[in-house]
Amino acid sequence: MTVLEQGITLDVFVTERAEDVDDLLGMYTNFLLEEFDRIGELAFGNAAAGYLLTSFIRCDDHNIGFFSLDPAGYSVELIYLKPEYRGRGIATLVLQHLKQHCPQQLALKTPLSPGGEALADKLELGRADNLPHEEATNEDVLQVIRAGIKATCKHGKSAGNPSKPCKRCYQKTLRRYAVEALNKVVTETRQVLALRAGTSSRR
């Protein structure tokens, strides 16, 4: 655990802790839904992955947010705070800490929200754009989501707007997407740990 100031700490996300998985899933789902309300589409960025270091932002021993850090790219993939904790300078405090301990210029992964752009400017952080293979993967995911909604949803058609995905079904799909994405990370991590344990026991 890392103490930033009185009451504000950082604690590593652990896949073996059920409460960690539940908390991260809840906040990641809320991030996706909030961004959908803002941009009308799936917002890219992983809460957890094999290439990321994910930590909770804690206030008085409660998880109030998280960030996922790509140490190889010196970039923050996502940073999220629950709405009731925004506007207190907590995200600034976290990013200042990461910047201070980053061996190169710390960057925020694009695209950024208006708040993210303001933080990047304020703290003089770089921007890390998606690589071509990431762009291609993102587009593939979007096409799968849109096709799935189009094939199963009748709300948009009944509302007389077949050209746009149904908001209700898109939100439902985002919730399912969050569960599947996080479960994949948890399963893969546990498989790696089990393999390591088996290898150690045979030595």
Side-chain angles (χ1 to χ4, degrees), residues 103-123:
Q104 296 187 20
Q105 184 188 31
L106 182 68
L108 300 184
K109 197 70 175 285
T110 62
L112 297 174
S113 67
E117 289 284 359
L119 272 176
D121 289 339
K122 175 183 176 181
L123 300 176

Side-chain angles (χ1 to χ4, degrees), residues 102-173:
C102 186
Q104 296 187 20
Q105 184 188 31
L106 182 68
L108 300 184
K109 197 70 175 285
T110 62
L112 297 174
S113 67
E117 289 284 359
L119 272 176
D121 289 339
K122 175 183 176 181
L123 300 176
E124 298 181 340
L125 304 177
R127 274 73 161 175
D129 295 328
N130 285 308
L131 299 174
H133 74 276
E134 292 174 320
E135 292 281 3
T137 299
N138 291 348
E139 186 58 33
D140 287 345
V141 172
L142 278 178
Q143 293 302 326
V144 170
I145 287 177
R146 291 168 182 160
I149 294 173
K150 184 177 180 180
T152 59
C153 172
K154 298 180 180 179
H155 304 121
K157 294 178 182 179
S158 64
N161 189 12
S163 64
K164 280 191 173 183
C166 165
K167 180 176 180 179
R168 191 189 320 174
C169 289
Y170 209 127
Q171 290 172 329
K172 182 179 179 181
T173 300

Side-chain angles (χ1 to χ4, degrees), residues 59-76:
C59 178
D60 297 328
D61 297 324
H62 297 287
N63 292 331
I64 64 167
F66 73 90
F67 67 86
S68 51
L69 179 70
D70 178 0
Y74 306 107
S75 61
V76 177

Side-chain angles (χ1 to χ4, degrees), residues 66-100:
F66 73 90
F67 67 86
S68 51
L69 179 70
D70 178 0
Y74 306 107
S75 61
V76 177
E77 179 110 346
L78 286 182
I79 182 166
Y80 176 84
L81 283 173
K82 293 181 178 179
E84 61 268 31
Y85 290 94
R86 296 171 192 169
R88 302 186 187 183
I90 296 174
T92 298
L93 183 68
V94 172
L95 291 173
Q96 285 175 330
H97 170 78
L98 295 176
K99 178 182 178 182
Q100 181 182 354

